[in-house]
Amino acid sequence: MNITVSEIRKRYLEFFKKRGHVIIPSASLVPENDPTTLFTGSGMQPLLPYLLGAPHPEGKRIADSQKSFRAEDIDEVGDNRHTTFFEMLGNWSFGDYFKEEQLTWVFEFLTDKAEGAGLNPANLYVTVFAGDKETGIPRDEASVEIWKKLFGEKGIEADYLELGSTEEGSEKGMRGGRIFSYDVKKNWWSRSGIPANMPLGEPGGPDSEIFYDFDPSGKTHKKEFGKECHPNCDCGRFLEIGNSVFMEYKKKENGSFEKLAQRNVDFGGGLERITAAANHNPDIFSIDVFEPILKYLPSNLPIRNKRIIADHTRAMVFLIADGVRPSNKGAGYVLRRLMRRAMIYEYMTSDPDLNLISVIAEIVRKYRDAYPDLQEETIIPVYDDENKKFLAAFKNGLKEFDKLIEKGGISGKDIFNLFSTYGLPYESAFEFAKERAGIEINKDEFQKEMERHRELSRTASAGAFKGGLADHSEKTTRLHTAHHLLLKALQIVLGTHVKQRGSNITSERLRMDFSHDAKMTEEQKKEVERIVNEKIRENLPVLRNEMSREEAERLYAEHEFGQKYPDRVSVYSIGPKGATLENPQFERAFSIEFCGGPHVTHTGEIGDFRILKEEASAAGVRRIKAIIE
Ligand code: SER
């Protein structure tokens, strides 16, 4: 008998309750008072204030199972491991216990047969933080020692091996190791990723991940995933099932870190993944919550399509229950995309009896014990309404599609036209062409048409202001450099979600549009001004470098959302002090942007910077006007 999601959730919460934790209910998928993100994507988001030191009303030890949604994974769904919605099991120490208790308990929970997930410890592999020169944060030696001891107690000799990056991992391989260290890209956790991307004041820390080995024989590994297999390899042998973050640092202004007032633990375990591991089946969709859905879908449907319908329908159920409604912006847009994709896949089955309403009902039934507030009566009308609206337009697009097929074929360019005129989703159109008419669409042609279209609309806007600059006068150039400082200062103050969405600079003033959901407070504006003026006073060098687009992307150089760039790009970096063309020290730069210039050579030439106005520009986009004096 396979263990159920419900049973694992129950055991986990019980386990931590016995160890002094108070169980709290899941927060909504729609974050409250958090303009930095559309959805709750991890257990820590709703608990941020307590990691920063506010006292939690339930005390210092908390456990929960948090509903989470990651829109960035929509396109990955279809394989055996990705879902958009998932539950994250979490236990929290707000300045209470630390590494020793955390790793011991999590290991005990995962391996205990009666009260935990009952995993065989021989199938578990762990990773720790390798240390980071940039920030000076050292390797997590303590966790290495704790893991050695824990595996030792199970009779497993656990060797430690330094791997560094994923690339090094696939070069070196595992060589009999059990504990591996990786760099900031893999074993550092913050809401905004690696230390360099964290805004001022953001908490983060080294983490220790646990992987389940579905295939000790190693046969799953294929060379296309890298020379050798290792825990972070994507071949499918290993699945990350849990992550203990030792959140004890906070970003300071010059890119360095200081200790938070308290040492925290943030553990996140993938409920569905742990359940799959407990059943030793690498297919997430084999767990009980998906089983009735997959069974209900026609058996001749390709497995990928079944998984997409199952995932998207489950996600829409939870999103709608938390108040999201399909719309053309923000969270509503993501929901709409998800719903329409599921509807198209349903439509494609050509089974008149298939109805996602029944799938919705199955899901609600499966989750009723843990989420009694899931109501079919709320969810189904929302689904019904969207389905009617969408299918009408979609069918018109399909008629055009069929006409083209009858006329003798359909090209990548035609698909682009159907997409831009009827909103026929192009990904589905490719699949339709293949499944209904046996035609393989030339995707390059489609892509070219898409790019031509983008190019046309860009040329139209660039004609008005070359590179956003009205002229190359001295004042305009000074404002242009101030513009770069401003973008970075906004990211530091408001968060890394801030991206440039448009710019326009004359010799009088600069104007920048950027993504952000809320009106800036007076304090935020003051702080942005202060940072920009501070960087001006530091008289930082401004450098222009040419490099490949990939290299610029690796440096996380800023670029405007939606812009296409050539293979070689020009990049401007500002700071640090002492940076030269021979030694540009990009890692320590204050700002790096894809940019054609021109700029001043030192920030001291800019003058005093002042924000004139901050206002709404479009949905989720704000506009700043600023001058130099
Ligand atoms: N915050 C960490 C994560 O999302 C652990 O909960 O992986």
PDB file of all heavy atoms in Angstrom, residues 41-45 51 68 70 86 88-92 189-191 207 209 240 242-245 247 265-269, ligand 1:
ATOM      1  N   GLY A  41       5.526  31.484  -2.829  1.00  0.00           N
ATOM      2  CA  GLY A  41       6.260  30.419  -3.512  1.00  0.00           C
ATOM      3  C   GLY A  41       7.132  29.618  -2.574  1.00  0.00           C
ATOM      4  O   GLY A  41       7.837  28.705  -2.989  1.00  0.00           O
ATOM      5  N   SER A  42       7.115  29.964  -1.295  1.00  0.00           N
ATOM      6  CA  SER A  42       7.870  29.182  -0.317  1.00  0.00           C
ATOM      7  C   SER A  42       7.284  29.444   1.058  1.00  0.00           C
ATOM      8  O   SER A  42       6.551  30.414   1.263  1.00  0.00           O
ATOM      9  CB  SER A  42       9.345  29.589  -0.319  1.00  0.00           C
ATOM     10  OG  SER A  42       9.474  30.895   0.197  1.00  0.00           O
ATOM     11  N   GLY A  43       7.633  28.568   1.986  1.00  0.00           N
ATOM     12  CA  GLY A  43       7.085  28.693   3.332  1.00  0.00           C
ATOM     13  C   GLY A  43       7.568  29.934   4.063  1.00  0.00           C
ATOM     14  O   GLY A  43       6.907  30.428   4.959  1.00  0.00           O
ATOM     15  N   MET A  44       8.767  30.437   3.675  1.00  0.00           N
ATOM     16  CA  MET A  44       9.321  31.537   4.465  1.00  0.00           C
ATOM     17  C   MET A  44       8.677  32.885   4.168  1.00  0.00           C
ATOM     18  O   MET A  44       8.693  33.775   5.016  1.00  0.00           O
ATOM     19  CB  MET A  44      10.849  31.610   4.327  1.00  0.00           C
ATOM     20  CG  MET A  44      11.400  32.096   3.017  1.00  0.00           C
ATOM     21  SD  MET A  44      11.370  33.880   2.785  1.00  0.00           S
ATOM     22  CE  MET A  44      12.796  34.384   3.715  1.00  0.00           C
ATOM     23  N   GLN A  45       8.113  33.033   2.975  1.00  0.00           N
ATOM     24  CA  GLN A  45       7.590  34.361   2.604  1.00  0.00           C
ATOM     25  C   GLN A  45       6.630  34.946   3.639  1.00  0.00           C
ATOM     26  O   GLN A  45       6.820  36.073   4.075  1.00  0.00           O
ATOM     27  CB  GLN A  45       6.914  34.301   1.232  1.00  0.00           C
ATOM     28  CG  GLN A  45       7.891  34.491   0.101  1.00  0.00           C
ATOM     29  CD  GLN A  45       7.274  34.097  -1.223  1.00  0.00           C
ATOM     30  OE1 GLN A  45       7.767  33.223  -1.904  1.00  0.00           O
ATOM     31  NE2 GLN A  45       6.177  34.731  -1.583  1.00  0.00           N
ATOM     32  N   LEU A  51      11.589  36.145  10.963  1.00  0.00           N
ATOM     33  CA  LEU A  51      13.001  35.830  10.726  1.00  0.00           C
ATOM     34  C   LEU A  51      13.840  37.071  11.006  1.00  0.00           C
ATOM     35  O   LEU A  51      14.988  36.993  11.409  1.00  0.00           O
ATOM     36  CB  LEU A  51      13.201  35.375   9.276  1.00  0.00           C
ATOM     37  CG  LEU A  51      12.520  34.044   8.928  1.00  0.00           C
ATOM     38  CD1 LEU A  51      12.435  33.852   7.420  1.00  0.00           C
ATOM     39  CD2 LEU A  51      13.261  32.879   9.567  1.00  0.00           C
ATOM     40  N   SER A  68       2.056  26.516  -1.966  1.00  0.00           N
ATOM     41  CA  SER A  68       3.013  27.329  -2.721  1.00  0.00           C
ATOM     42  C   SER A  68       2.733  27.200  -4.210  1.00  0.00           C
ATOM     43  O   SER A  68       2.240  26.166  -4.674  1.00  0.00           O
ATOM     44  CB  SER A  68       4.445  26.856  -2.458  1.00  0.00           C
ATOM     45  OG  SER A  68       4.700  26.811  -1.075  1.00  0.00           O
ATOM     46  N   ARG A  70       4.620  28.261  -8.037  1.00  0.00           N
ATOM     47  CA  ARG A  70       5.751  28.858  -8.756  1.00  0.00           C
ATOM     48  C   ARG A  70       5.429  28.947 -10.243  1.00  0.00           C
ATOM     49  O   ARG A  70       5.487  27.951 -10.969  1.00  0.00           O
ATOM     50  CB  ARG A  70       7.026  28.047  -8.511  1.00  0.00           C
ATOM     51  CG  ARG A  70       7.456  28.136  -7.060  1.00  0.00           C
ATOM     52  CD  ARG A  70       8.838  27.588  -6.774  1.00  0.00           C
ATOM     53  NE  ARG A  70       9.155  27.795  -5.355  1.00  0.00           N
ATOM     54  CZ  ARG A  70      10.202  27.289  -4.730  1.00  0.00           C
ATOM     55  NH1 ARG A  70      11.075  26.554  -5.390  1.00  0.00           N
ATOM     56  NH2 ARG A  70      10.408  27.531  -3.445  1.00  0.00           N
ATOM     57  N   PHE A  86       2.462  23.265  -5.135  1.00  0.00           N
ATOM     58  CA  PHE A  86       2.944  22.197  -4.264  1.00  0.00           C
ATOM     59  C   PHE A  86       2.784  22.649  -2.821  1.00  0.00           C
ATOM     60  O   PHE A  86       2.502  23.811  -2.564  1.00  0.00           O
ATOM     61  CB  PHE A  86       4.411  21.836  -4.553  1.00  0.00           C
ATOM     62  CG  PHE A  86       5.368  22.984  -4.360  1.00  0.00           C
ATOM     63  CD1 PHE A  86       6.107  23.106  -3.192  1.00  0.00           C
ATOM     64  CD2 PHE A  86       5.524  23.950  -5.335  1.00  0.00           C
ATOM     65  CE1 PHE A  86       6.987  24.159  -3.002  1.00  0.00           C
ATOM     66  CE2 PHE A  86       6.400  25.024  -5.154  1.00  0.00           C
ATOM     67  CZ  PHE A  86       7.129  25.122  -3.989  1.00  0.00           C
ATOM     68  N   MET A  88       4.691  22.988   0.805  1.00  0.00           N
ATOM     69  CA  MET A  88       6.010  22.976   1.408  1.00  0.00           C
ATOM     70  C   MET A  88       5.885  22.753   2.907  1.00  0.00           C
ATOM     71  O   MET A  88       5.310  23.573   3.613  1.00  0.00           O
ATOM     72  CB  MET A  88       6.730  24.279   1.114  1.00  0.00           C
ATOM     73  CG  MET A  88       8.204  24.173   1.350  1.00  0.00           C
ATOM     74  SD  MET A  88       9.029  25.670   0.846  1.00  0.00           S
ATOM     75  CE  MET A  88       9.904  25.105  -0.571  1.00  0.00           C
ATOM     76  N   LEU A  89       6.395  21.607   3.347  1.00  0.00           N
ATOM     77  CA  LEU A  89       6.418  21.337   4.780  1.00  0.00           C
ATOM     78  C   LEU A  89       7.474  22.240   5.380  1.00  0.00           C
ATOM     79  O   LEU A  89       8.578  22.338   4.839  1.00  0.00           O
ATOM     80  CB  LEU A  89       6.779  19.874   5.033  1.00  0.00           C
ATOM     81  CG  LEU A  89       5.808  18.844   4.451  1.00  0.00           C
ATOM     82  CD1 LEU A  89       6.367  17.437   4.626  1.00  0.00           C
ATOM     83  CD2 LEU A  89       4.437  18.962   5.116  1.00  0.00           C
ATOM     84  N   GLY A  90       7.146  22.894   6.497  1.00  0.00           N
ATOM     85  CA  GLY A  90       8.126  23.819   7.055  1.00  0.00           C
ATOM     86  C   GLY A  90       8.240  23.699   8.560  1.00  0.00           C
ATOM     87  O   GLY A  90       7.228  23.530   9.251  1.00  0.00           O
ATOM     88  N   ASN A  91       9.476  23.734   9.051  1.00  0.00           N
ATOM     89  CA  ASN A  91       9.635  23.956  10.485  1.00  0.00           C
ATOM     90  C   ASN A  91      10.607  25.106  10.670  1.00  0.00           C
ATOM     91  O   ASN A  91      11.505  25.316   9.865  1.00  0.00           O
ATOM     92  CB  ASN A  91      10.041  22.693  11.244  1.00  0.00           C
ATOM     93  CG  ASN A  91      11.378  22.141  10.824  1.00  0.00           C
ATOM     94  OD1 ASN A  91      11.457  21.291   9.936  1.00  0.00           O
ATOM     95  ND2 ASN A  91      12.440  22.619  11.448  1.00  0.00           N
ATOM     96  N   TRP A  92      10.358  25.862  11.747  1.00  0.00           N
ATOM     97  CA  TRP A  92      10.991  27.162  11.912  1.00  0.00           C
ATOM     98  C   TRP A  92      11.531  27.326  13.301  1.00  0.00           C
ATOM     99  O   TRP A  92      10.857  26.996  14.271  1.00  0.00           O
ATOM    100  CB  TRP A  92       9.951  28.279  11.662  1.00  0.00           C
ATOM    101  CG  TRP A  92       9.218  28.022  10.410  1.00  0.00           C
ATOM    102  CD1 TRP A  92       8.127  27.212  10.238  1.00  0.00           C
ATOM    103  CD2 TRP A  92       9.569  28.494   9.123  1.00  0.00           C
ATOM    104  NE1 TRP A  92       7.787  27.172   8.919  1.00  0.00           N
ATOM    105  CE2 TRP A  92       8.654  27.956   8.212  1.00  0.00           C
ATOM    106  CE3 TRP A  92      10.575  29.341   8.658  1.00  0.00           C
ATOM    107  CZ2 TRP A  92       8.708  28.216   6.866  1.00  0.00           C
ATOM    108  CZ3 TRP A  92      10.631  29.611   7.319  1.00  0.00           C
ATOM    109  CH2 TRP A  92       9.710  29.047   6.422  1.00  0.00           C
ATOM    110  N   TRP A 189      20.442  30.375   0.297  1.00  0.00           N
ATOM    111  CA  TRP A 189      19.037  30.660   0.024  1.00  0.00           C
ATOM    112  C   TRP A 189      18.630  32.042   0.518  1.00  0.00           C
ATOM    113  O   TRP A 189      18.923  32.440   1.643  1.00  0.00           O
ATOM    114  CB  TRP A 189      18.110  29.611   0.652  1.00  0.00           C
ATOM    115  CG  TRP A 189      16.795  29.557  -0.081  1.00  0.00           C
ATOM    116  CD1 TRP A 189      16.484  28.754  -1.143  1.00  0.00           C
ATOM    117  CD2 TRP A 189      15.622  30.350   0.165  1.00  0.00           C
ATOM    118  NE1 TRP A 189      15.203  29.000  -1.573  1.00  0.00           N
ATOM    119  CE2 TRP A 189      14.643  29.964  -0.800  1.00  0.00           C
ATOM    120  CE3 TRP A 189      15.300  31.352   1.077  1.00  0.00           C
ATOM    121  CZ2 TRP A 189      13.374  30.541  -0.865  1.00  0.00           C
ATOM    122  CZ3 TRP A 189      14.023  31.930   1.008  1.00  0.00           C
ATOM    123  CH2 TRP A 189      13.085  31.522   0.050  1.00  0.00           C
ATOM    124  N   SER A 190      17.993  32.783  -0.377  1.00  0.00           N
ATOM    125  CA  SER A 190      17.299  34.011  -0.001  1.00  0.00           C
ATOM    126  C   SER A 190      16.147  34.133  -0.992  1.00  0.00           C
ATOM    127  O   SER A 190      16.154  33.448  -2.008  1.00  0.00           O
ATOM    128  CB  SER A 190      18.219  35.220  -0.113  1.00  0.00           C
ATOM    129  OG  SER A 190      18.280  35.652  -1.458  1.00  0.00           O
ATOM    130  N   ARG A 191      15.218  35.021  -0.718  1.00  0.00           N
ATOM    131  CA  ARG A 191      14.090  35.180  -1.651  1.00  0.00           C
ATOM    132  C   ARG A 191      14.558  35.621  -3.017  1.00  0.00           C
ATOM    133  O   ARG A 191      13.924  35.361  -4.024  1.00  0.00           O
ATOM    134  CB  ARG A 191      13.090  36.215  -1.122  1.00  0.00           C
ATOM    135  CG  ARG A 191      12.348  35.752   0.086  1.00  0.00           C
ATOM    136  CD  ARG A 191      11.273  36.735   0.427  1.00  0.00           C
ATOM    137  NE  ARG A 191      11.821  38.069   0.671  1.00  0.00           N
ATOM    138  CZ  ARG A 191      11.095  39.156   0.866  1.00  0.00           C
ATOM    139  NH1 ARG A 191       9.785  39.072   0.822  1.00  0.00           N
ATOM    140  NH2 ARG A 191      11.655  40.318   1.107  1.00  0.00           N
ATOM    141  N   ASP A 207      22.574  26.947   3.093  1.00  0.00           N
ATOM    142  CA  ASP A 207      21.581  25.908   3.343  1.00  0.00           C
ATOM    143  C   ASP A 207      22.181  24.526   3.152  1.00  0.00           C
ATOM    144  O   ASP A 207      23.300  24.381   2.659  1.00  0.00           O
ATOM    145  CB  ASP A 207      20.321  26.114   2.487  1.00  0.00           C
ATOM    146  CG  ASP A 207      20.567  25.955   1.000  1.00  0.00           C
ATOM    147  OD1 ASP A 207      21.431  25.143   0.627  1.00  0.00           O
ATOM    148  OD2 ASP A 207      19.887  26.637   0.218  1.00  0.00           O
ATOM    149  N   GLU A 209      20.910  20.861   1.652  1.00  0.00           N
ATOM    150  CA  GLU A 209      19.810  20.184   0.960  1.00  0.00           C
ATOM    151  C   GLU A 209      19.934  18.671   1.084  1.00  0.00           C
ATOM    152  O   GLU A 209      21.032  18.131   1.185  1.00  0.00           O
ATOM    153  CB  GLU A 209      19.802  20.589  -0.519  1.00  0.00           C
ATOM    154  CG  GLU A 209      19.661  22.094  -0.688  1.00  0.00           C
ATOM    155  CD  GLU A 209      19.478  22.531  -2.135  1.00  0.00           C
ATOM    156  OE1 GLU A 209      19.915  21.826  -3.056  1.00  0.00           O
ATOM    157  OE2 GLU A 209      18.885  23.605  -2.332  1.00  0.00           O
ATOM    158  N   GLU A 240      15.703  16.540  -5.089  1.00  0.00           N
ATOM    159  CA  GLU A 240      15.830  17.291  -3.842  1.00  0.00           C
ATOM    160  C   GLU A 240      14.512  17.206  -3.095  1.00  0.00           C
ATOM    161  O   GLU A 240      13.464  17.524  -3.652  1.00  0.00           O
ATOM    162  CB  GLU A 240      16.160  18.758  -4.139  1.00  0.00           C
ATOM    163  CG  GLU A 240      16.452  19.526  -2.864  1.00  0.00           C
ATOM    164  CD  GLU A 240      16.144  21.004  -2.967  1.00  0.00           C
ATOM    165  OE1 GLU A 240      16.232  21.569  -4.065  1.00  0.00           O
ATOM    166  OE2 GLU A 240      15.793  21.581  -1.925  1.00  0.00           O
ATOM    167  N   GLY A 242      14.305  18.208   0.471  1.00  0.00           N
ATOM    168  CA  GLY A 242      14.200  19.118   1.599  1.00  0.00           C
ATOM    169  C   GLY A 242      15.411  20.019   1.698  1.00  0.00           C
ATOM    170  O   GLY A 242      16.494  19.693   1.203  1.00  0.00           O
ATOM    171  N   ASN A 243      15.209  21.169   2.339  1.00  0.00           N
ATOM    172  CA  ASN A 243      16.258  22.168   2.394  1.00  0.00           C
ATOM    173  C   ASN A 243      16.219  22.886   3.740  1.00  0.00           C
ATOM    174  O   ASN A 243      15.218  23.510   4.078  1.00  0.00           O
ATOM    175  CB  ASN A 243      16.017  23.168   1.249  1.00  0.00           C
ATOM    176  CG  ASN A 243      17.091  24.224   1.168  1.00  0.00           C
ATOM    177  OD1 ASN A 243      18.157  24.075   1.770  1.00  0.00           O
ATOM    178  ND2 ASN A 243      16.813  25.289   0.435  1.00  0.00           N
ATOM    179  N   SER A 244      17.300  22.765   4.506  1.00  0.00           N
ATOM    180  CA  SER A 244      17.386  23.497   5.776  1.00  0.00           C
ATOM    181  C   SER A 244      18.196  24.757   5.544  1.00  0.00           C
ATOM    182  O   SER A 244      19.388  24.680   5.242  1.00  0.00           O
ATOM    183  CB  SER A 244      18.091  22.661   6.844  1.00  0.00           C
ATOM    184  OG  SER A 244      17.402  21.454   7.061  1.00  0.00           O
ATOM    185  N   VAL A 245      17.546  25.911   5.676  1.00  0.00           N
ATOM    186  CA  VAL A 245      18.271  27.169   5.499  1.00  0.00           C
ATOM    187  C   VAL A 245      18.657  27.695   6.880  1.00  0.00           C
ATOM    188  O   VAL A 245      17.815  27.787   7.768  1.00  0.00           O
ATOM    189  CB  VAL A 245      17.406  28.226   4.790  1.00  0.00           C
ATOM    190  CG1 VAL A 245      18.232  29.487   4.524  1.00  0.00           C
ATOM    191  CG2 VAL A 245      16.831  27.683   3.495  1.00  0.00           C
ATOM    192  N   MET A 247      19.345  30.671   8.354  1.00  0.00           N
ATOM    193  CA  MET A 247      19.186  32.072   7.995  1.00  0.00           C
ATOM    194  C   MET A 247      19.711  32.952   9.110  1.00  0.00           C
ATOM    195  O   MET A 247      19.015  33.220  10.079  1.00  0.00           O
ATOM    196  CB  MET A 247      17.712  32.327   7.729  1.00  0.00           C
ATOM    197  CG  MET A 247      17.553  33.478   6.788  1.00  0.00           C
ATOM    198  SD  MET A 247      15.909  33.596   6.193  1.00  0.00           S
ATOM    199  CE  MET A 247      15.948  32.581   4.752  1.00  0.00           C
ATOM    200  N   VAL A 265      16.263  29.005  11.697  1.00  0.00           N
ATOM    201  CA  VAL A 265      16.213  27.860  10.789  1.00  0.00           C
ATOM    202  C   VAL A 265      14.937  27.976   9.979  1.00  0.00           C
ATOM    203  O   VAL A 265      13.867  28.260  10.526  1.00  0.00           O
ATOM    204  CB  VAL A 265      16.201  26.516  11.557  1.00  0.00           C
ATOM    205  CG1 VAL A 265      15.961  25.358  10.589  1.00  0.00           C
ATOM    206  CG2 VAL A 265      17.495  26.322  12.316  1.00  0.00           C
ATOM    207  N   ASP A 266      15.057  27.788   8.677  1.00  0.00           N
ATOM    208  CA  ASP A 266      13.905  27.741   7.778  1.00  0.00           C
ATOM    209  C   ASP A 266      14.027  26.439   7.002  1.00  0.00           C
ATOM    210  O   ASP A 266      14.871  26.320   6.121  1.00  0.00           O
ATOM    211  CB  ASP A 266      13.964  28.968   6.851  1.00  0.00           C
ATOM    212  CG  ASP A 266      13.277  28.750   5.504  1.00  0.00           C
ATOM    213  OD1 ASP A 266      12.543  27.768   5.332  1.00  0.00           O
ATOM    214  OD2 ASP A 266      13.492  29.595   4.603  1.00  0.00           O
ATOM    215  N   PHE A 267      13.224  25.448   7.401  1.00  0.00           N
ATOM    216  CA  PHE A 267      13.255  24.198   6.638  1.00  0.00           C
ATOM    217  C   PHE A 267      12.077  24.147   5.687  1.00  0.00           C
ATOM    218  O   PHE A 267      10.949  24.452   6.066  1.00  0.00           O
ATOM    219  CB  PHE A 267      13.207  22.968   7.554  1.00  0.00           C
ATOM    220  CG  PHE A 267      13.045  21.681   6.780  1.00  0.00           C
ATOM    221  CD1 PHE A 267      14.116  21.124   6.097  1.00  0.00           C
ATOM    222  CD2 PHE A 267      11.803  21.053   6.682  1.00  0.00           C
ATOM    223  CE1 PHE A 267      13.971  19.956   5.343  1.00  0.00           C
ATOM    224  CE2 PHE A 267      11.642  19.881   5.931  1.00  0.00           C
ATOM    225  CZ  PHE A 267      12.734  19.332   5.266  1.00  0.00           C
ATOM    226  N   GLY A 268      12.335  23.760   4.436  1.00  0.00           N
ATOM    227  CA  GLY A 268      11.264  23.566   3.469  1.00  0.00           C
ATOM    228  C   GLY A 268      11.390  22.181   2.861  1.00  0.00           C
ATOM    229  O   GLY A 268      12.439  21.825   2.318  1.00  0.00           O
ATOM    230  N   GLY A 269      10.346  21.385   2.998  1.00  0.00           N
ATOM    231  CA  GLY A 269      10.359  20.042   2.406  1.00  0.00           C
ATOM    232  C   GLY A 269       9.230  19.921   1.407  1.00  0.00           C
ATOM    233  O   GLY A 269       8.103  20.335   1.685  1.00  0.00           O
TER     234      GLY A 269
HETATM  235  N1  SER B   1      13.033  28.781   2.021  1.00  0.00           N
HETATM  236  C1  SER B   1      13.636  27.562   1.605  1.00  0.00           C
HETATM  237  C2  SER B   1      13.137  27.090   0.253  1.00  0.00           C
HETATM  238  O1  SER B   1      12.166  27.585  -0.257  1.00  0.00           O
HETATM  239  C3  SER B   1      13.384  26.476   2.622  1.00  0.00           C
HETATM  240  O2  SER B   1      12.091  26.548   3.115  1.00  0.00           O
HETATM  241  O3  SER B   1      13.729  26.206  -0.312  1.00  0.00           O
END
